[in-house]
Amino acid sequence: ALPIPGLAGRMRQGSPRPSGWRASRVTLPVMSKMGELPLDINIQEPRWDQSTFLGRARHFFTVTDPRNLLLSGAQLEASRNIVQNYRAGVVTPGLTEDQLWRAKYVYDSAFHPDTGEKVVLIGRMSAQVPMNMTITGCMLTFYRQTPTVVFWQWVNQSFNAIVNYSNRSGDAPITVGQLGTAYVSATTGAVATALGLKSLTKHLPPLVGRFVPFAAVAAANCINIPLMRQRELQVGIPVTDEQGQRLGHSVAAAKQGIFQVVVSRICMAIPAMAIPPVIMDTLEKKDFLKRRPWLGAPLQVGLVGFCLVFATPLCCALFPQRSSIHVRRLEPELRAQIHEQNPSIEVVYYNKGL
């Protein structure tokens, strides 16, 4: 491998650098042919600097783009081939840098980063906005009757179970029994919370009752995510050095990653489940909606969707996808193993999941 002299000067002005980028450490393992795209573009990392919130936000606006759901299987496979070939040192003829990054984000939108498996359609992050706007909008609209509360909380937790499993961290398998336990526990917790709070708010102003679905969703996230990812809490998730070399598995890293995801999911629900109820409570008192009650549900779904378009990527960006943890916070055995292999390592990295 040959070092790339003057790489910083060769990069276009304003070109974002990946997190942890060091000019002295970049190498060129395979030389590209004359006129081809150079092989020094680090597509192992997102295109934008992940050490800043703005860089992470730009990354997740691309990852959660609902238009990715419209891509065909052939387009997904083509993007995977471009990315895998480039990582192997083979440049697709005529490929530009923008096309390479587009292929990377198409690939990332449909395939799990650790297992490489294609994620089921509704489990992809690009499905978050259209799926959540429909489910959340209906939860906020049909919150008065017990049967509809139970039905939409069940639908929401079924969807969350798919998303949490599809976007788990690491490549450790989870059994059908563990999946079933997580699903039943989260659904029961959400329904019980919703019905309990609904009964407590019967004699309170209607606006208070509109926030019951949010409380149920927040409680369910605290149950669903840890249970759906319980395998990670048992065997740990892979941790790597700065160059991506796997060092072992850590339960401590799994706990930190799951906590970050729970916080992100709850924050993600706040705008979509707090702003529309206030607006709808005001609009329903106006003659316009009184004469057209059928407009209530689509209007509420639309308001939720508008909030989620921004809340989903911005809340995903609260924590780096490739999070870090200090070696001293790892398990004693893993800490000793890392220090024995490389005493200079102080921080390790892991995929926190989504």
Side-chain angles (χ1 to χ4, degrees), residues 67-73 75-76 79 102 106 109 124:
R67 291 175 297 179
N68 289 334
L69 294 175
L70 303 177
L71 298 174
S72 66
Q75 290 173 302
L76 296 179
S79 295
R102 173 59 182 161
V106 168
S109 75
R124 301 172 191 173

Side-chain angles (χ1 to χ4, degrees), residues 5-326:
L7 176 62
R10 286 168 49 196
M11 296 183 71
R12 295 195 309 272
Q13 186 174 5
S15 176
R17 293 170 172 78
S19 177
W21 180 85
R22 298 289 188 278
S24 60
R25 295 188 181 181
V26 179
T27 57
L28 181 60
V30 183
M31 297 297 292
S32 60
K33 295 180 181 179
M34 185 69 68
E36 287 186 349
L37 191 67
L39 293 168
D40 54 21
I41 302 171
N42 185 5
I43 59 171
Q44 294 295 113
E45 300 287 343
R47 188 172 192 176
W48 298 280
D49 183 3
Q50 297 299 283
S51 65
T52 67
F53 176 77
L54 180 60
R56 295 195 296 272
R58 294 181 70 182
H59 166 71
F60 280 109
F61 266 107
T62 305
V63 170
T64 61
D65 188 345
R67 291 175 297 179
N68 289 334
L69 294 175
L70 303 177
L71 298 174
S72 66
Q75 290 173 302
L76 296 179
E77 288 299 326
S79 295
R80 175 160 69 172
N81 290 336
I82 289 173
V83 170
Q84 291 181 341
N85 286 342
Y86 187 84
R87 288 173 177 170
V90 179
V91 179
T92 303
L95 186 70
T96 67
E97 184 174 351
D98 285 339
Q99 290 171 338
L100 174 63
W101 281 113
R102 173 59 182 161
K104 172 193 162 46
Y105 274 103
V106 168
Y107 172 75
D108 289 348
S109 75
F111 297 90
H112 191 277
D114 293 322
T115 65
E117 298 174 352
K118 185 183 290 186
V119 177
V120 64
L121 189 68
I122 64 172
R124 301 172 191 173
M125 289 306 294
S126 50
Q128 284 286 294
V129 171
M131 291 296 297
N132 272 326
M133 69 179 284
T134 304
I135 296 172
T136 303
C138 290
M139 281 196 295
L140 293 175
T141 302
F142 307 111
Y143 69 95
R144 293 183 177 91
Q145 302 298 321
T146 298
T148 55
V149 169
V150 173
F151 175 76
W152 286 109
Q153 288 294 339
W154 168 73
V155 171
N156 187 50
Q157 290 314 309
S158 299
F159 172 64
N160 283 343
I162 295 172
V163 173
N164 293 337
Y165 175 74
S166 301
N167 296 281
R168 67 198 184 280
S169 175
D171 48 15
I174 182 171
T175 67
V176 175
Q178 290 170 329
L179 282 173
T181 300
Y183 172 67
V184 172
S185 300
T187 304
T188 303
V191 170
T193 302
L195 294 180
L197 291 176
K198 180 176 176 294
S199 64
L200 292 175
T201 57
K202 280 183 178 179
H203 305 294
L204 296 176
L207 181 59
V208 176
R210 289 180 179 272
F211 289 96
V212 168
F214 168 69
V217 167
N221 276 327
C222 295
I223 301 171
N224 192 322
I225 296 172
L227 283 175
M228 192 59 64
R229 295 174 57 175
Q230 60 184 289
R231 180 69 176 170
E232 300 171 34
L233 297 173
Q234 295 170 350
V235 302
I237 58 176
V239 294
T240 68
D241 59 18
E242 189 176 0
Q243 286 71 41
Q245 297 296 320
R246 186 173 293 195
L247 302 172
H249 288 72
S250 170
V251 172
K255 291 178 180 178
Q256 179 173 292
I258 290 172
F259 173 77
Q260 291 173 343
V261 171
V262 170
V263 171
S264 296
R265 293 287 186 85
I266 293 176
C267 291
M268 195 184 300
I270 291 175
M273 303 192 78
I275 297 175
V278 176
I279 296 175
M280 291 301 299
D281 188 67
T282 302
L283 292 178
E284 286 179 357
K285 297 173 183 177
K286 306 293 184 182
D287 290 339
F288 179 78
L289 270 188
K290 286 182 179 179
R291 293 196 302 266
R292 303 170 182 83
W294 54 271
L295 275 177
L299 183 57
Q300 183 125 251
V301 170
L303 287 171
V304 170
F306 178 79
C307 293
L308 285 173
V309 165
F310 299 96
T312 300
L314 293 178
C315 291
C316 283
L318 290 175
F319 305 99
Q321 181 64 35
R322 187 188 183 215
S323 290
S324 61
I325 184 172
H326 203 282

Side-chain angles (χ1 to χ4, degrees), residues 327-340:
V327 172
R328 66 171 177 269
R329 296 182 56 191
L330 300 176
E331 296 82 347
E333 299 82 4
L334 180 58
R335 187 167 62 240
Q337 177 183 325
I338 293 174
H339 282 158
E340 182 180 350

